[in-house]
Amino acid sequence: MKFKYIAFILSLTSISFAQGAQRNLCDDLVDSGTSSSEQIKKCLDDPRFGPSVHYKEQEANKKIKVETAKVEIADAAKKKDNLEIKKFTSDDLFDAGFGKPFYAIRGDYRNHRYKEKRITEGDALCAYLGYEKAIKSIVSPELWENKNGNVKVDKQGLIVDTNMLGLVSKTPEIYRDEEYKFTVRKYVEITCVRRKDKAIDASEDSLKVVTEDLLMLNEELNTPSKKDSNSGVNNGSRSSSAKDGKTTNGYNPPDWAKDSQTIGK
């Protein structure tokens, strides 16, 4: 046992000696941070010292890092050039939907508590359009089936479903609300991005940072003669106010939503 302990100490000593021999005064000058490049070069040119093993290793590592950085910059530029961005207008979406718009959000006023559900994700719509992710989406004010019948919702739009596993349906389906329980918002515009050549960026790294900017228009299309006092853009969900029957963004709920007997449960 004692012999093994002595052998272990000797091995550590030999390792320390070898590591110390890899360095010399020139390395200490570099580490000091106060020696000029001329002074360091003078030491390296001195035959008594010269570039140590440690110095040579450090210089080799620096070159590797520089070359690696060059490759990473070149790859990043190549991936950026590989991205294709396209904005789909309302007419483009109408054409892609075979004459029908794509519905984005469903509003539920039942029980006088407003809830929203994204019935077509931006990424899902972009996937159907042949792209990969949504950069920006603009959706309309709320639409609902009114008494005059000049605004139609049921079976008048398409949705692209995303299941619980995140899988996007390859084909859209007709939106159905035969009992007129909900309001909807349709896509007015969407900007999508895709990779031109997936072999260049098979891991999708260039798209991981892409997030959707969702803008909601607030002007009520069902009552064009009335202007909403808040005409700004809202990125968040809306909740109803029990005090005055208006939503937090200045909306008046649809007339049918004010009557619990009409909307049911």
Side-chain angles (χ1 to χ4, degrees), residues 130-191:
Y131 285 71
E132 295 182 78
K133 297 199 73 175
I135 298 176
K136 180 179 180 180
S137 299
I138 301 177
V139 299
S140 73
E142 288 184 286
L143 304 170
W144 60 87
E145 197 95 13
N146 63 17
K147 296 178 180 179
N148 296 327
N150 56 356
V151 177
K152 299 291 185 180
V153 172
D154 177 47
K155 304 183 189 69
Q156 301 306 309
L158 303 177
I159 60 174
V160 182
D161 185 46
T162 302
N163 66 20
M164 296 180 63
L165 299 177
L167 299 177
V168 178
S169 175
K170 294 183 179 180
T171 58
E173 58 187 81
I174 290 286
Y175 172 82
R176 298 180 184 277
D177 180 20
E178 296 176 355
E179 296 182 3
Y180 311 132
K181 294 180 178 180
F182 309 107
T183 65
V184 294
R185 292 175 182 265
K186 66 180 180 180
Y187 282 95
V188 175
E189 178 183 294
I190 189 168
T191 302

Side-chain angles (χ1 to χ4, degrees), residues 4-39:
K4 290 183 179 180
Y5 178 77
I6 294 173
F8 177 71
I9 295 297
L10 289 175
S11 65
L12 290 179
T13 304
S14 62
I15 292 173
S16 300
F17 178 78
Q19 290 178 340
Q22 292 178 348
R23 296 176 58 93
N24 61 23
L25 177 62
C26 301
D27 298 308
D28 294 335
L29 293 178
V30 173
D31 293 345
S32 71
T34 56
S35 298
S36 66
S37 56
E38 290 78 8
Q39 292 167 336

Side-chain angles (χ1 to χ4, degrees), residues 10-264:
L10 289 175
S11 65
L12 290 179
T13 304
S14 62
I15 292 173
S16 300
F17 178 78
Q19 290 178 340
Q22 292 178 348
R23 296 176 58 93
N24 61 23
L25 177 62
C26 301
D27 298 308
D28 294 335
L29 293 178
V30 173
D31 293 345
S32 71
T34 56
S35 298
S36 66
S37 56
E38 290 78 8
Q39 292 167 336
I40 295 172
K41 184 178 184 304
K42 183 178 180 180
C43 179
L44 294 172
D45 292 339
D46 192 315
R48 294 174 296 176
F49 307 106
S52 67
V53 174
H54 175 75
Y55 182 84
K56 291 177 180 177
E57 289 178 351
Q58 292 297 102
E59 289 300 300
N61 288 334
K62 287 180 182 178
K63 289 182 179 179
I64 291 173
K65 289 180 179 180
V66 170
E67 292 302 318
T68 300
K70 289 180 179 179
V71 172
E72 289 177 350
I73 292 173
D75 286 345
K78 186 182 295 184
K79 290 178 181 179
K80 184 177 180 180
D81 292 339
N82 189 43
L83 296 181
E84 179 183 354
I85 298 174
K86 181 174 180 179
K87 179 170 68 176
F88 293 88
T89 65
S90 182
D91 289 340
D92 294 330
L93 296 174
F94 192 73
D95 184 62
F98 307 100
K100 294 191 181 298
F102 290 90
Y103 289 161
I105 297 170
R106 187 185 74 187
D108 185 352
Y109 283 93
R110 291 179 295 177
N111 299 322
H112 296 279
R113 293 182 179 180
Y114 181 79
K115 294 181 180 180
E116 285 181 350
K117 180 180 179 181
R118 193 75 182 270
I119 52 179
T120 300
E121 298 286 346
D123 290 350
L125 179 54
C126 284
Y128 172 69
L129 295 171
Y131 285 71
E132 295 182 78
K133 297 199 73 175
I135 298 176
K136 180 179 180 180
S137 299
I138 301 177
V139 299
S140 73
E142 288 184 286
L143 304 170
W144 60 87
E145 197 95 13
N146 63 17
K147 296 178 180 179
N148 296 327
N150 56 356
V151 177
K152 299 291 185 180
V153 172
D154 177 47
K155 304 183 189 69
Q156 301 306 309
L158 303 177
I159 60 174
V160 182
D161 185 46
T162 302
N163 66 20
M164 296 180 63
L165 299 177
L167 299 177
V168 178
S169 175
K170 294 183 179 180
T171 58
E173 58 187 81
I174 290 286
Y175 172 82
R176 298 180 184 277
D177 180 20
E178 296 176 355
E179 296 182 3
Y180 311 132
K181 294 180 178 180
F182 309 107
T183 65
V184 294
R185 292 175 182 265
K186 66 180 180 180
Y187 282 95
V188 175
E189 178 183 294
I190 189 168
T191 302
C192 304
V193 61
R194 68 181 175 189
R195 293 163 292 169
K196 299 175 186 176
D197 184 357
K198 291 185 179 181
I200 294 177
D201 184 18
S203 64
E204 297 188 47
D205 287 341
S206 57
L207 296 179
K208 286 183 178 179
V209 296
V210 176
T211 56
E212 180 189 23
D213 181 16
L214 177 62
L215 303 179
M216 295 184 183
L217 302 181
N218 285 350
E219 182 182 355
E220 297 186 25
L221 295 187
N222 282 22
T223 54
S225 60
K226 297 180 181 180
K227 295 294 182 180
D228 196 322
S229 59
N230 178 7
S231 59
V233 173
N234 169 39
N235 285 323
S237 299
R238 300 182 294 106
S239 59
S240 59
S241 171
K243 182 177 180 181
D244 57 11
K246 295 182 180 180
T247 61
T248 56
N249 289 328
Y251 278 98
N252 280 313
D255 293 336
W256 51 260
K258 300 175 183 178
D259 185 357
S260 60
Q261 293 181 353
T262 302
I263 58 177

